[in-house]
Amino acid sequence: MKTPERRNGRPSLSRVHVRPTALCVAILAAAFSDGANAARLNYRLEGLGLHSDNINLSESDEQAETVFAPRLAFDFKEEGSAVEIQARGEIERRFYSGNAFDDETRSGFAGQLNWSLFPERLNLVVEDYLSEEPINFRDGRFPGNLQQVNVFVAGPTFFARFGDATRLKLDVRGADTYAEETAGFDSKRYGAAAALEHDIRSTSKVSLNLAYTNVDFDDSDPAIAIDYDREDAFVRYNGKLRNIDYELDGGYSRLKRDLASDESTAIGRATVQWHPDPHNRLSFRARHQFADAVQDIVLRLRDSDEVLIPDLMAPSDSLVTSGTYRQNYYDLDYRFSGERFGFRARPLYRKLRYVDPGNSDRTERALVFQASYRLRPRMTVMLDGAERRREFLTQDETDRDHVYGLAMEYQLTRHWGWRADVFKNDRSSDVPEARYKENAVQFKVWWQR
């Protein structure tokens, strides 16, 4: 629960610290870009003002605060003959006028580089993911309860063909993981994944997949982190119908752990996307597998629709820990985009059961929705909402989050605009110290390229 130190401020973290790996994709982009005409860079500069009547999310010791923040967001895409790059990032500096909290920098980054050294034979892949995640997972996103978490992945990919319909792909990867505060998360990971693919017809293919990962934690205390090897074997089927794309996995996964018993589970995954017409899109994802915080962060940030720095409307945070868990995950995402009206609804369910005993086993249910209506050619009103229920099994704790926001955005010119928001953020809980109510207003002016 929130300690007095967390409610009222805490010693300053190294909030301006960003690991050099977060810049790696951008450096490689500048060094190896093979055609400036193929590159697209968009960026947005914002000036933000926020006032909250309970910025520390406390039930009995509310702290009103006004925040000012300059902010930069960008996305970069290059699709050259030899180099493919996708990168997006956000960084903001928050100044707290009441001086109850230290000024801080928040940042997020997701970048992927695929460099073809020898076409259809050898590629070099570099990926980096930087995010802000809670220190105390049960508490909200208030000043002092966020830490930088970074996952860096790099290695070669080899390709081989056996006729027109069969091919082999081999990924060899090394990874470095880092958390600013959480003990036991830092690790070195080494692995390989092989996929033997065969085209059944022009719209479908099947593959046999084998994967191996070795995880070596920097902390040698087995009470904090246990090194392990993970072995996965599964069959994947990709298909395409008229307006439907789908991918199905079925297989088996095994954890071989140092100083602890081995564990195993079945693998079952499904991804379906349906585009009935240009205005509607429906996607469904289901997963039953072993997973951990690293995998969770990478999968979330690889999705360009996911925010880099989760806000109040984010349906789920990542629990930064060394633990591995059995995951049941279901996510339905419906979107409608009309000439004036837009709508998105996303129900989500997660059940996580950790391999090692602890107090993090939980079930999460969430519903996020967004609706927008264009009143005038340059004026849009938006209504956002999020409902989440999180049950912690070992401590008989159930938290219920209710977040609603109303916004108006006006685009003055092609480059300039402003947006005003009002938020209501409530949490009810079985644990008194976890409850809070927050009301906030926000205004920002932006310039975009």
Side-chain angles (χ1 to χ4, degrees):
M1 297 304 99
K2 299 184 183 68
T3 63
E5 291 77 12
R6 281 189 176 158
R7 292 197 196 101
N8 300 319
R10 52 178 291 154
S12 175
L13 302 177
S14 54
R15 304 303 300 155
V16 297
H17 171 63
V18 179
R19 294 195 65 169
T21 53
L23 306 177
C24 185
V25 173
I27 294 172
L28 290 174
F32 300 115
S33 176
D34 65 342
N37 293 332
R40 296 194 301 273
L41 172 64
N42 300 306
Y43 58 88
R44 179 164 168 151
L45 299 170
E46 296 179 354
L48 180 146
L50 167 70
H51 179 79
S52 169
D53 65 358
N54 186 16
I55 200 167
N56 54 333
L57 303 181
S58 172
E59 182 184 22
S60 57
D61 189 21
E62 298 91 343
Q63 176 70 55
E65 182 63 277
T66 299
V67 183
F68 300 98
R71 184 171 179 270
L72 167 66
F74 74 90
D75 66 83
F76 177 83
K77 190 170 185 179
E78 165 115 16
E79 296 177 326
S81 59
V83 175
E84 295 181 358
I85 302 169
Q86 294 187 68
R88 58 193 182 104
E90 300 177 7
I91 184 168
E92 64 182 38
R93 181 64 177 172
R94 293 201 163 201
F95 299 93
Y96 296 94
S97 63
N99 297 320
F101 302 94
D102 294 329
D103 298 338
E104 61 177 355
T105 299
R106 297 185 182 183
S107 56
F109 179 84
Q112 304 92 32
L113 164 72
N114 193 338
W115 181 23
S116 179
L117 298 173
F118 300 99
E120 300 184 0
R121 290 291 182 268
L122 174 62
N123 286 10
L124 174 64
V125 176
V126 180
E127 302 179 41
D128 195 59
Y129 304 95
L130 175 72
S131 67
E132 302 274 351
E133 302 295 339
I135 299 172
N136 188 323
F137 182 70
R138 286 176 164 83
D139 291 349
R141 288 181 164 269
F142 61 89
N145 193 40
L146 292 175
Q147 62 178 324
Q148 289 184 347
V149 178
N150 195 86
V151 179
F152 176 77
V153 184
T157 296
F158 302 92
F159 302 91
R161 276 195 169 273
F162 307 97
D164 295 333
T166 305
R167 55 200 166 273
L168 176 67
K169 178 182 176 183
L170 175 63
D171 297 324
V172 179
R173 297 289 186 268
D176 178 79
T177 67
Y178 162 82
E180 189 175 16
E181 289 289 307
T182 301
F185 182 81
D186 298 2
S187 69
K188 301 292 187 297
R189 299 173 181 236
Y190 307 95
L196 182 63
E197 300 179 346
H198 180 75
D199 294 334
I200 299 175
R201 56 181 68 90
S202 61
T203 58
S204 62
K205 62 182 178 181
V206 65
S207 64
L208 174 62
N209 297 263
L210 302 174
Y212 169 80
T213 303
N214 171 263
V215 179
D216 183 11
F217 291 101
D218 293 357
D219 198 316
S220 59
D221 185 352
I224 297 177
I226 298 176
D227 298 343
Y228 65 85
D229 296 334
R230 176 172 161 180
E231 301 168 348
D232 294 348
F234 60 94
V235 175
R236 170 168 294 172
Y237 182 80
N238 298 80
K240 185 173 184 179
L241 301 176
R242 182 178 178 182
N243 296 312
I244 300 176
D245 298 313
Y246 58 92
E247 180 179 278
L248 307 174
D249 293 350
Y252 180 81
S253 182
R254 183 176 181 85
L255 287 179
K256 301 174 69 174
R257 304 189 297 160
D258 296 351
L259 306 176
S261 60
D262 295 347
E263 300 285 343
S264 62
T265 192
I267 295 175
R269 294 185 287 252
T271 302
V272 181
Q273 292 193 9
W274 180 36
H275 297 262
D277 56 57
H279 299 291
N280 291 275
R281 190 185 90 175
L282 181 67
S283 62
F284 171 74
R285 291 178 292 184
R287 304 186 192 114
H288 174 82
Q289 60 185 3
F290 280 130
D292 59 14
V294 173
Q295 184 174 321
D296 183 42
I297 291 170
V298 170
L299 287 176
R300 173 159 56 86
L301 297 187
R302 272 181 182 167
D303 187 347
S304 60
D305 291 330
E306 295 289 337
V307 295
L308 291 172
I309 306 176
D311 53 18
L312 294 176
M313 300 297 174
S316 183
D317 295 320
S318 295
L319 171 57
V320 180
T321 177
S322 63
T324 301
Y325 51 83
R326 291 180 175 86
Q327 176 192 68
N328 288 324
Y329 176 98
Y330 304 95
D331 179 3
L332 186 67
D333 192 348
Y334 169 72
R335 304 184 188 200
F336 173 81
S337 178
E339 293 184 2
R340 303 188 71 173
F341 178 71
F343 179 74
R344 180 185 183 186
R346 185 186 178 191
L348 179 146
Y349 171 85
R350 295 204 309 174
K351 183 172 75 172
L352 293 80
R353 302 294 183 265
Y354 283 78
V355 171
D356 292 313
N359 60 0
S360 300
D361 287 357
R362 62 193 184 276
T363 300
E364 299 178 357
R365 297 173 177 86
L367 172 63
V368 178
F369 68 87
Q370 300 169 331
S372 64
Y373 185 75
R374 186 160 52 86
L375 292 173
R376 299 176 183 176
R378 295 184 178 182
M379 179 180 290
T380 303
V381 294
M382 290 153 280
L383 174 66
D384 298 336
E387 294 280 342
R388 180 174 66 185
R389 177 187 175 96
R390 181 185 284 164
E391 301 175 54
F392 294 91
L393 302 186
T394 58
Q395 293 190 342
D396 294 328
E397 177 183 347
T398 300
D399 297 336
R400 301 169 184 85
D401 293 315
H402 318 275
V403 184
Y404 296 97
L406 181 64
M408 176 178 290
E409 184 170 278
Y410 190 87
Q411 186 165 345
L412 299 170
T413 68
R414 188 167 65 93
H415 297 290
W416 286 96
W418 59 264
R419 173 169 172 149
D421 298 79
V422 293
F423 300 102
K424 185 175 181 60
N425 177 22
D426 292 351
R427 170 175 289 182
S428 59
S429 175
D430 298 336
V431 179
E433 294 84 356
R435 303 168 187 161
Y436 56 77
K437 294 181 181 294
E438 178 193 23
N439 299 291
V441 295
Q442 178 177 283
F443 182 81
K444 64 183 175 183
V445 178
W446 48 263
W447 185 93
Q448 64 184 7
R449 181 182 185 272

